[in-house]
């Protein structure tokens, strides 16, 4: 598909907008792959890419579903991961969107897959800055968000925060 066809599909009138969109999608794929590969390195098996949830007339797609056999407990641990890049011009807008998505996913998962733990994956640079602000820390605590911090270059999980 050429740029003009994509512009028509996206209902925009300039190829510049399309190029920006394509760059954002490609960057998102890079972030997605970094988290996915980081989880695999830690022994997680990716079971769903994306994790598809249907409930109450709504279809939802969480970025990843994974599970890991815990030898000591002889049981499977299941997680769902919503991956965010925070690439837009407004970190707070990205945060609002991420929290809204996570809250909606959590609502459906409580009904459909209550054994699965939901995580929000954020890049290390955003975690070290925006996620250390008093507002953000309070929101994470209040909304009981589970966080995965990832390094995009190393394709590694740096931190799990429950």
């Amino acid at each position: 598909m050429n740029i003009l066809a994509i512009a028509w599909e996206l209902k925009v009138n300039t190829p510049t907008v399309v190029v920006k969109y394509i760059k954002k999608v490609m960057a998102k794929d890079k972030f997605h792959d970094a988290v996915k590969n980081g989880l695999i390195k830690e022994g997680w098996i990716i079971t769903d890419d994306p994790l598809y949830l249907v409930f109450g007339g709504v279809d939802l797609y969480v970025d990843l579903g994974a599970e890991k056999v815990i030898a000591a407990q002889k049981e499977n641990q299941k997680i769902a991961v919503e991956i965010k890049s925070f690439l837009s011009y407004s970190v707070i807008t990205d945060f609002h969107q991420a929290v809204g998505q996570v809250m909606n996913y959590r609502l459906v998962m409580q009904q459909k897959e209550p054994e699965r733990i939901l995580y929000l994956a954020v890049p290390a640079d955003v975690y070290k800055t925006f996620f250390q602000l008093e507002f953000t820390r309070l929101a994470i605590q209040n909304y009981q968000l589970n966080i995965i911090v990832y390094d995009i270059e190393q394709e590694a999980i740096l931190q799990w925060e429950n």
Side-chain angles (χ1 to χ4, degrees):
M1 187 179 285
N2 68 32
I3 287 182
L4 293 176
I6 295 171
W8 175 260
E9 192 70 26
L10 294 174
K11 296 175 179 51
V12 296
N13 57 4
T14 64
T16 305
V17 172
V18 175
V19 170
K20 287 180 184 177
Y21 174 79
I22 291 170
K23 285 181 180 178
K24 187 172 182 178
V25 168
M26 289 173 63
K28 182 180 180 190
D29 288 343
K30 185 176 178 182
F31 285 77
H32 181 93
D33 290 346
V35 174
K36 183 177 176 178
N37 293 333
L39 289 170
I40 292 169
K41 286 177 186 176
E42 289 199 2
W44 289 90
I45 298 167
I46 305 302
T47 57
D48 302 277
D49 185 2
L51 173 62
Y52 178 58
L53 302 168
V54 179
F55 182 78
V58 177
D59 297 349
L60 299 172
Y61 299 88
V62 184
D63 288 320
L64 295 173
E67 65 180 60
K68 185 177 192 178
V69 176
I70 303 169
Q73 298 175 348
K74 300 282 187 211
E75 62 184 52
N76 286 353
Q77 183 178 6
K78 293 183 177 182
I79 62 172
V81 182
E82 179 59 22
I83 304 163
K84 291 299 174 195
S85 59
F86 290 86
L87 290 176
S88 81
Y89 296 109
S90 172
V91 178
I92 192 69
T93 298
D94 287 345
F95 183 70
H96 289 315
Q97 181 182 4
V99 170
Q101 281 183 279
V102 166
M103 300 306 284
N104 287 330
Y105 296 160
R106 181 187 292 165
L107 177 70
V108 173
M109 286 174 53
Q110 287 170 344
Q111 303 301 314
K112 303 292 279 185
E113 296 196 35
E115 72 283 358
R116 199 178 287 272
I117 300 169
L118 179 60
Y119 286 88
L120 173 62
V122 300
D125 61 334
V126 175
Y127 182 80
K128 290 175 186 173
T129 55
F130 180 74
F131 275 69
Q132 299 311 307
L133 299 176
E134 181 181 2
F135 166 79
T136 316
R137 299 306 312 158
L138 182 61
I140 290 167
Q141 181 183 357
N142 252 11
Y143 301 132
Q144 299 176 352
L145 301 177
N146 299 311
I147 306 294
I148 293 175
V149 181
Y150 65 92
D151 183 304
I152 189 166
E153 299 304 323
Q154 295 178 13
E155 294 191 339
I157 305 301
L158 302 179
Q159 183 176 335
W160 295 78
E161 186 177 300
N162 294 330

